[in-house]
Amino acid sequence: MQTSNARKRLAQALRERGPVVTIGVHNPLGARLAQEAGFDAVWVSGLELSAAAGVPDANILSMRDFLDSARQITESVDLPVICDCDTGFGNAMNVMSVVRQYEAAGVAAICIEDKVFPKLNSFAKGKQKLVSKVEFAGKIEAAKHAKKSDDFTVIARTEALIAGAGMAEALDRARAYATAGADVILIHSKSPNPDEVCEFLSYWDHETPIAVVPTTYPQLNADELHERGANLVIYANHGLRASIRAITETFAQIKAERSTINAEKSIASVARIFELQDMASFRDHEERFVRSDEDEESS
Ligand code: SPV
Ligand code: MG
């Protein structure tokens, strides 16, 4: 169960400048696997939530859809939960409502990005349109104004490099968002190598911690990114990609062999599912609390 402790832990780790290493999830099962693997936090990915629903990552799912998933995940793990909130689902007023609801749901952090609504996933071909710097700074100030706890983290993500607006624009926006009160700046990049992100990090001259999403540039590990100035490293979608590969192969094998005899060797057992559902404590509680008149008569 998520508590204010998890929120505090994340805020503290960021104050100590990390590295905080987090992995993308879209449901409580993924979050439990992330917790078991020892990640510092989970990233509730808009791409993963959308893909799991079978729709593009383009604000097809609603804020309520995202929030419902965030709440379920928050209730299932002790880890800090960092939620991708796309553009904040509207203008600064929508952002205020988002912050109030996500904070009430117990999440540790939200991330909003400086693109127009509806957004399109950063790796999708097509125009990536930015809102103005002043408009987005207003959204960050609104988020900070709406939050109740000092430990609730507001991450401002600039898509300037994604939109092809250049390094100077990315830095200018990041500085403006830091000045507006963002707790973390996320610099996103779709470059096939870490050079532009490292260049950004080398120029960064604010105290505000930096988050990176090394999806297209896996050449540097989390510690190497940290050495270059990144404080929060988000492996945004690797669980989803691992599961797509595993399910595709297993389904093909079972279909081809018309049997599960070989597939059994490479898939999780039912006992493992029960473990992840915390079946043992369920059965323990069932034993203690579920009673009937027949039990009474037989005792
Ligand atoms: C997500 O995981 O939804 C993200 C990261 O926002 S990305 O897919 O790289 O845009
Ligand atoms: Mg996203």
Side-chain angles (χ1 to χ4, degrees):
M1 177 73 74
Q2 176 86 358
T3 62
S4 56
N5 283 345
R7 192 179 276 163
K8 208 179 272 301
R9 268 200 328 273
L10 178 68
Q12 183 64 28
L14 289 167
R15 268 195 292 276
E16 289 164 6
R17 314 206 64 76
V20 174
V21 183
T22 165
I23 190 103
V25 302
H26 59 271
N27 61 26
L29 179 63
R32 290 213 168 134
L33 292 169
Q35 179 161 276
E36 196 180 78
F39 284 95
D40 301 316
V42 292
W43 164 256
V44 182
S45 157
L47 173 64
E48 287 210 7
L49 289 171
S50 302
V55 298
D57 180 19
N59 288 129
I60 304 301
L61 294 185
S62 69
M63 192 275 256
R64 180 71 40 194
D65 295 328
F66 272 35
L67 179 61
D68 285 347
S69 295
R71 194 177 284 120
Q72 286 177 6
I73 290 166
T74 299
E75 286 170 2
S76 309
V77 286
D78 295 321
L79 289 181
V81 175
I82 304 174
C83 292
D84 179 6
C85 288
D86 288 344
T87 63
F89 306 97
N91 70 12
M93 302 314 296
N94 298 86
V95 168
M96 290 184 78
S97 169
V98 165
V99 167
R100 288 192 201 104
Q101 294 183 71
Y102 273 77
E103 189 171 5
V107 310
I110 60 150
C111 175
I112 58 171
E113 64 197 55
D114 58 358
K115 287 212 301 245
V116 296
F117 177 93
K119 58 69 68 70
L120 183 63
N121 182 268
S122 306
F123 301 127
K125 289 208 172 59
K127 197 139 181 60
Q128 298 283 350
K129 275 176 80 182
L130 303 177
V131 293
S132 74
K133 180 179 73 178
V134 285
E135 179 178 341
F136 195 69
K139 290 170 85 164
I140 295 300
E141 282 181 36
K144 294 286 290 193
H145 186 75
K147 73 175 193 170
K148 292 201 177 90
S149 160
D150 279 348
D151 293 325
F152 185 77
T153 297
V154 174
I155 304 174
R157 159 169 164 180
T158 183
E159 295 272 295
L161 298 177
I162 296 287
M167 186 60 64
E169 179 71 16
L171 280 161
D172 187 42
R173 282 175 175 259
R175 289 184 184 122
Y177 306 158
T179 304
D183 300 303
V184 175
I185 299 293
L186 190 159
I187 179 68
H188 203 10
S189 165
K190 58 183 175 191
S191 169
N193 62 60
D195 295 355
E196 68 175 8
V197 161
C198 290
E199 191 185 344
F200 178 96
L201 291 168
S202 74
Y203 291 138
W204 186 239
D205 46 7
H206 275 251
E207 282 294 295
T208 310
I210 299 287
V212 296
V213 186
T215 303
T216 58
Y217 53 95
Q219 297 88 341
L220 296 180
N221 70 27
D223 296 320
E224 291 164 334
L225 288 164
H226 185 237
E227 276 164 29
R228 284 161 179 78
N231 310 101
L232 171 60
V233 177
I234 301 169
Y235 293 116
N237 50 43
H238 301 77
L240 177 71
R241 289 162 60 196
S243 62
I244 289 172
R245 166 77 65 89
I247 293 170
T248 303
E249 290 176 0
T250 302
F251 282 10
Q253 184 178 23
I254 295 172
K255 177 72 170 59
E257 296 177 2
R258 306 181 76 75
S259 161
T260 59
I261 186 109
N262 291 318
E264 284 292 347
K265 295 172 205 136
S266 53
I267 60 178
S269 65
V270 173
R272 174 74 171 130
I273 302 175
F274 285 175
E275 184 184 33
L276 289 161
Q277 290 172 299
D278 206 3
M279 186 72 124
S281 90
F282 176 90
R283 295 310 301 268
D284 180 46
H285 290 146
E286 187 182 41
E287 190 114 326
R288 281 171 63 195
F289 303 125
V290 178
R291 294 168 199 160
S292 69
D293 290 347
E294 285 145 44
D295 298 334
E296 188 77 356
E297 282 155 21
S298 63
S299 66

